[in-house]
Amino acid sequence: MKKTKPKKLLTVLLTLYLALSIVPITAYAGVTDVTGGNTTNTYSHFYHTKVETTAQVTIKDADGNVIETTEVTKSGDFVEGNVNSDAVQAEIKRIDDEIIAQFSSRGNITTENRNSTFMFDHFESSNIITPGDNILVGDQDALENAASGSVNKNLVVHEYQVYQTTYDLIVQENSQPTNTIPVATIENAKFNYQPGDAPQATAEVYNADADKYEIAYECWQEFENNEPVAAWYSDNGSHGSLPKITEFESGKKYVYFLMLKPKNGYSFNSETTVTVNGESVKSSLSGEYLYLPAVKTITPTKQNTVITSAAVENVKLDYKDGETPRTTATAAAADRDKYDILYECWGKLEKTDEYTTKSVAYWYSDEDYCPSGYADLTSFDKDGKYEYSVRLKAKDGYIFSDSISADDITLNGKSLPEGSFAMTLDDNRTCVVTYGMNMRPGQAVEKIDFIARINFDAGDKPSFMTSAVDPFIDLDHERWDANDGSGYGITSSDYWNKRYNGKLITEFEAGKSYTYGVYFKISDLGMEEGYRFDKNTKLYINGEEITLTPDQINVDDNGETIWFSNVLTMTPTTVKVIDVVEINDATVSFKDGDKPVFTGTVPENDQYAFRCEWWSLDENTGIVSTEPEWGGDIYKNKITAFEDGKTYHYGVYVTAYTADISHDAKLKINGREVKYTRIGDESDTQSFWVETDLTMTPVADGHTHKYGTEWKHDETNHWHECECDNKADITVHNFKWIVDRKATTTEKGSKHEKCTVCGYKKTAVDIPKIDSHNHNYGTEWKYDNTNHWHECECGEKADITAHNFKWIIDKEATTAEKGSKHEKCTVCGYKKAAVDIPAIGFGSSSDDEANKPANTVSSKSSSADQLNNTANTASPKTGNTDYMILWIVLLIAGGGVFITATAVDRKKK
């Protein structure tokens, strides 16, 4: 037996691979080469081809102008055989057909410039030696120990290749004359005939197309052995010598045909698409007529089809006061061959006791069904309640299920409300449906007033108030949309959030603009009471009316839902932090018998408001500055006068406008810092409700205060005063504007503010002349120390906003010298005066130094970069041969890649 060394076999196999990649080979198998001795070498080669087709698509309009270009690429799986095999040719055609099918409806298709190339993909091979039992080449010991006799070597090679084709696909759109009928729609063709029924002409042209074409005739033909043996035509014309069908017979086969005729000025063509009873059918031109062959095939039988569900549409439920009931209900289009509307009914209801009602008047769409002994319902009354019902009648061949219920019925596309019922009557031929909601005549919803959160700070997560509106209106969902074209948004409804395809706002970003919208629907009670939305429904948010244009309000046809879009926009800003809260001018010292007075204020133009102050003796005894407006229920016992020897505690309540009050904020009262204890929710960063450590113990002075009835006042407050000058009932003025002279187009007016309590008047101010000037605000920011704005040439200001300051370092502080910094508005560029940065002392750092990174790594490289740099600069250890083995393996693998790449490159050549 001839022995083959593994090294020599590997060389032969590699040489064979390279030869195959260079020389084109047709598929063959079973080539035998007898190399001597008792050894026979057999070589088998098989092709596998993958088809990959790319079409450069050009679409031209009717005038030959290019209106669109695109590229379409499709590919399949590897198919056994070379390109000339039937299987590969079939795969080429399949992919071509798929590409052409995408554009066949656009016009005529032509292909040009078809080019094809082969690309080698990979080999798969096996080498079997058969001395009796199969032995893989390489198992040399097994080969040497094989029994003597002939040895068969079978080298099987599978070559995988890609057949790449490119071509140009030209789509020439058809020109349609203006009077060509592109779509024909036929409705109400009757197909549910029973044995004994006579054919009827029922088909109708869709209403919108009645001026374009008409039905020339309908036709039924009876077939036996695929040949017509009788016929019926709706036009009674002469259509051949077949006997006339007078009635349908059980078990026989009937085929329905239609002929359509265009009206003056219109024509059909081969592109006209046709539907009959909502289903697409084939058609062909017959002169100017359009012929619809074999539209429907039926075999009438005596068995009835059971109706298990029904849908009633177009029911008018929103009658207004004084309107007359009228017939509106129709069966759903898909069910019109199953049942008809027998009648509709409205009944007027009156209460008989607390829990029950009875009908006192009726209206029926078919008067024959109206019961006797009741008044006629001629119109709806706004104070009345009404109940709706409808009766369905099954057509021939259909019956209603005995078990049909309200759950199986829809009305106007919706499930019936709670309390509805459905019942099958008259041998299953009719079904009565009663709408389980007592309704009043429609009344318009004048306004919607609800509470919503419409302002957020940068970094805030979206949240929704989901507040109740009123018993007649439900809030469906609120919505925020990003205005940057990104498609991001968020709603209060998981259902509506699906529309964003995962692009949900998780937090609001500073400087970005967001738009708010809201969607309401009439509640079940509102439906019962007859409420409906219309275009005049006003929207109030947080008590303020929102001015909207008609295109921002969308109401559905029934007035049951309303959608307000683009209601308002919101641009979050970075929240400022308040570190110091100051209460000034607070009265914190009293004598025995003094009445409580409250005079505390906060600095003007600050970021917080002073809500109230109070004095307390214990948890049940105290007085709040805002009583009796609010806070009156905090203390059971009210302090009316301070008493000698008792100790009273002082507290204040402050709320921030747009800033957050720091948890470590300092509190200063009359310029002195005091300690305090927070009350309530500490996570509420915009509320500062605190009990201070400031206490007061009045002492007696022997004088009893007698306060006059006349109000004394200054510019801020008014009070009652004792002859000793002690003040009581100190309260800020309650101003109201008084117009002294109205402004006109030629003269300014005049007005002043007057306190409604004490009569104190402020100095009069001008009312500008009335003019028709349209403000044109410039784009340049104007500013003062506090705010910036855009300004019209007339001096009118808009977009007035407080500065958004950022610290700018002018000069860094060192250990030897002070530094310098200033605040600059990031919006308008206004700069505050520079301030010093203290020199950096040994072992300490300035505020600015504390903000610097702790390490000295350049800010241009991340921590990850530093880790990588450390790893890369470490010298590798020597003496480890594992690395050498790894390099040898990689070298061999790299050589294999080089050989394969060379083979592919040569194949391409």
Side-chain angles (χ1 to χ4, degrees), residues 251-268:
K252 291 190 175 182
K253 178 180 177 182
Y254 299 89
V255 181
Y256 179 76
F257 303 79
L258 263 177
M259 184 71 82
L260 304 182
K261 177 183 178 182
K263 292 188 176 181
N264 290 338
Y266 291 91
S267 64
F268 297 107

Side-chain angles (χ1 to χ4, degrees), residues 165-181:
T165 301
T166 62
Y167 60 83
D168 297 331
L169 190 149
I170 313 300
V171 182
Q172 178 66 61
E173 291 189 339
N174 301 318
S175 67
Q176 291 281 352
T178 56
N179 61 343
T180 298
I181 301 169

Side-chain angles (χ1 to χ4, degrees), residues 340-411:
D340 291 318
I341 306 297
L342 190 61
Y343 64 73
E344 296 178 81
C345 170
W346 282 98
K348 184 175 183 179
L349 304 177
E350 286 186 0
K351 275 193 172 183
T352 56
D353 57 42
E354 185 178 356
Y355 302 104
T356 59
T357 59
K358 68 175 182 178
S359 298
V360 295
Y362 282 108
W363 169 87
Y364 277 79
S365 60
D366 186 337
E367 294 181 356
D368 293 339
Y369 290 92
C370 188
S372 59
Y374 291 90
D376 291 334
L377 175 59
T378 58
S379 64
F380 291 94
D381 183 343
K382 66 179 180 179
D383 296 321
K385 282 196 172 183
Y386 302 87
E387 182 179 67
Y388 175 80
S389 61
V390 59
R391 188 166 180 172
L392 313 178
K393 181 180 179 181
K395 291 189 175 184
D396 291 342
Y398 290 90
I399 58 174
F400 288 101
S401 168
D402 286 326
S403 60
I404 202 166
S405 69
D407 294 335
D408 305 313
I409 309 295
T410 61
L411 191 145

